[in-house]
Amino acid sequence: MTTETRMLSAPSRRAVSVRAIINNAGIGLALLALILFFSLASEFFLTANNITNILTQITINLILAVGMTFVILIGGIDLSVGSVMAFAAVVAGKAITLPGLGVVELIALACVAGLLTGLISGLLNGVISAYWGLPSFIITLGMLNIARGAALHVSDAQTIYSFPFAFEEFGSALIYGVPVVFLVALLITLLAWFVLNWTVFGRLLYGIGNNEEAVRLAGHHVFWLKVAAFTICGFTAGIAAIIYMARLSISSPIAGIGFELNAIAAVIIGGTSLAGGRGSVIGTLLGAFIIGVLANGLILIGLNDFMRQMITGVVIIVAVILDHYRAKYSAT
């Protein structure tokens, strides 16, 4: 790391930390308000079973949103994560149902296959977008269609099932009422928080979002940093695919439709700027909780799917408007 970067990194880290605490406090208060409202509106909301349901339901979105945070921090976006998740799940599903192997070998093979599928997809997104300087919106839109078509082709448009019992048991396992799959998502979130806040790589991602040219002039390889951000996003889609398979005991080529929008929504609601350079993975965690609590609570109070979609859309728009004013406040 150069002298200039060291001189700038400490004050920048303190400034980002203060802003993150302020933003996350506001998001946390919004989450508490939602919890209070639904607790009063439905007697079933704060039951142990329903809390377990909420934690289970937000797991996949949280994992996808954590990966999406890396991409949005550099000013990009990844529209392909839902389709990549489906493709990774189908590849892993084919692997885990191969004949002639033991249970441990099948599970290990499936995990490696799913994770590599997600990683390679994210790597391709990053290389194509960064090398040619093309908008990630367009590149990942293309990958969305490629991955979805590949998922349908590999599976012959059929759902894959009949997984080993040990694998399915992992998807439904609880530790003191907390789903194991949620604990995996939480561990991923904490690891991402550490990387973004306490490593040079993480600080440089913030730097690219704020001033890409300054990072380049400081002697860092912006190309590979961008590729790494997209690769991480694809890798988390692979993790989400394995969790999805374990939870539902199937691999469907049409899984994950619209998941990219939920992941982006969690990141935006969590306070990460679409312009890049500002945000927090802890905010993303809170954003995923807000979406999960909102979806669960609206079901309990009896609203239909159409109303739930409308209300969720309003929340996203409000979050974008708030981000606009946060950006103006930060610039003054």
Side-chain angles (χ1 to χ4, degrees), residues 5 83 176 204 226 230 242:
T5 306
S83 295
Y176 296 108
L204 290 175
K226 287 184 172 182
F230 278 96
I242 302 301

PDB file of all heavy atoms in Angstrom, residues 5 83 176 204 226 230 242:
ATOM      1  N   THR A   5      -2.032   6.271   0.088  1.00  0.00           N
ATOM      2  CA  THR A   5      -3.186   5.469   0.498  1.00  0.00           C
ATOM      3  C   THR A   5      -3.247   5.329   2.003  1.00  0.00           C
ATOM      4  O   THR A   5      -4.315   5.390   2.605  1.00  0.00           O
ATOM      5  CB  THR A   5      -3.112   4.075  -0.153  1.00  0.00           C
ATOM      6  OG1 THR A   5      -2.972   4.221  -1.559  1.00  0.00           O
ATOM      7  CG2 THR A   5      -4.362   3.288   0.133  1.00  0.00           C
ATOM      8  N   SER A  83     -30.627 -16.106 -11.433  1.00  0.00           N
ATOM      9  CA  SER A  83     -30.453 -17.138 -12.455  1.00  0.00           C
ATOM     10  C   SER A  83     -29.193 -17.956 -12.202  1.00  0.00           C
ATOM     11  O   SER A  83     -29.180 -19.180 -12.414  1.00  0.00           O
ATOM     12  CB  SER A  83     -30.384 -16.489 -13.840  1.00  0.00           C
ATOM     13  OG  SER A  83     -31.610 -15.868 -14.165  1.00  0.00           O
ATOM     14  N   TYR A 176     -30.990 -24.447  19.238  1.00  0.00           N
ATOM     15  CA  TYR A 176     -31.759 -23.612  20.176  1.00  0.00           C
ATOM     16  C   TYR A 176     -32.802 -22.756  19.447  1.00  0.00           C
ATOM     17  O   TYR A 176     -32.989 -21.575  19.740  1.00  0.00           O
ATOM     18  CB  TYR A 176     -30.823 -22.717  20.984  1.00  0.00           C
ATOM     19  CG  TYR A 176     -29.875 -23.477  21.869  1.00  0.00           C
ATOM     20  CD1 TYR A 176     -28.520 -23.542  21.559  1.00  0.00           C
ATOM     21  CD2 TYR A 176     -30.331 -24.167  22.993  1.00  0.00           C
ATOM     22  CE1 TYR A 176     -27.640 -24.266  22.355  1.00  0.00           C
ATOM     23  CE2 TYR A 176     -29.442 -24.889  23.802  1.00  0.00           C
ATOM     24  CZ  TYR A 176     -28.115 -24.929  23.477  1.00  0.00           C
ATOM     25  OH  TYR A 176     -27.245 -25.647  24.268  1.00  0.00           O
ATOM     26  N   LEU A 204     -10.187  -0.517  -0.655  1.00  0.00           N
ATOM     27  CA  LEU A 204     -10.033  -0.148  -2.062  1.00  0.00           C
ATOM     28  C   LEU A 204     -11.357  -0.246  -2.819  1.00  0.00           C
ATOM     29  O   LEU A 204     -11.592   0.518  -3.764  1.00  0.00           O
ATOM     30  CB  LEU A 204      -8.977  -1.036  -2.719  1.00  0.00           C
ATOM     31  CG  LEU A 204      -7.534  -0.776  -2.264  1.00  0.00           C
ATOM     32  CD1 LEU A 204      -6.582  -1.803  -2.881  1.00  0.00           C
ATOM     33  CD2 LEU A 204      -7.101   0.636  -2.616  1.00  0.00           C
ATOM     34  N   LYS A 226     -12.281  -4.973  -9.430  1.00  0.00           N
ATOM     35  CA  LYS A 226     -13.662  -5.081  -9.915  1.00  0.00           C
ATOM     36  C   LYS A 226     -14.026  -6.540 -10.188  1.00  0.00           C
ATOM     37  O   LYS A 226     -15.125  -7.004  -9.838  1.00  0.00           O
ATOM     38  CB  LYS A 226     -13.838  -4.252 -11.187  1.00  0.00           C
ATOM     39  CG  LYS A 226     -13.870  -2.754 -10.969  1.00  0.00           C
ATOM     40  CD  LYS A 226     -14.151  -2.032 -12.282  1.00  0.00           C
ATOM     41  CE  LYS A 226     -14.373  -0.557 -12.066  1.00  0.00           C
ATOM     42  NZ  LYS A 226     -14.699   0.148 -13.338  1.00  0.00           N
ATOM     43  N   PHE A 230     -17.176  -8.885  -8.396  1.00  0.00           N
ATOM     44  CA  PHE A 230     -18.192  -9.666  -9.104  1.00  0.00           C
ATOM     45  C   PHE A 230     -18.032 -11.163  -8.834  1.00  0.00           C
ATOM     46  O   PHE A 230     -19.032 -11.894  -8.754  1.00  0.00           O
ATOM     47  CB  PHE A 230     -18.110  -9.397 -10.609  1.00  0.00           C
ATOM     48  CG  PHE A 230     -18.817  -8.142 -11.042  1.00  0.00           C
ATOM     49  CD1 PHE A 230     -18.112  -6.969 -11.192  1.00  0.00           C
ATOM     50  CD2 PHE A 230     -20.174  -8.141 -11.273  1.00  0.00           C
ATOM     51  CE1 PHE A 230     -18.752  -5.803 -11.584  1.00  0.00           C
ATOM     52  CE2 PHE A 230     -20.835  -6.984 -11.673  1.00  0.00           C
ATOM     53  CZ  PHE A 230     -20.119  -5.807 -11.824  1.00  0.00           C
ATOM     54  N   ILE A 242     -26.708 -23.880  -2.703  1.00  0.00           N
ATOM     55  CA  ILE A 242     -26.572 -25.041  -1.828  1.00  0.00           C
ATOM     56  C   ILE A 242     -27.577 -24.962  -0.678  1.00  0.00           C
ATOM     57  O   ILE A 242     -28.226 -25.956  -0.321  1.00  0.00           O
ATOM     58  CB  ILE A 242     -25.136 -25.133  -1.270  1.00  0.00           C
ATOM     59  CG1 ILE A 242     -24.108 -25.211  -2.415  1.00  0.00           C
ATOM     60  CG2 ILE A 242     -25.007 -26.336  -0.345  1.00  0.00           C
ATOM     61  CD1 ILE A 242     -24.296 -26.381  -3.340  1.00  0.00           C
TER      62      ILE A 242
END
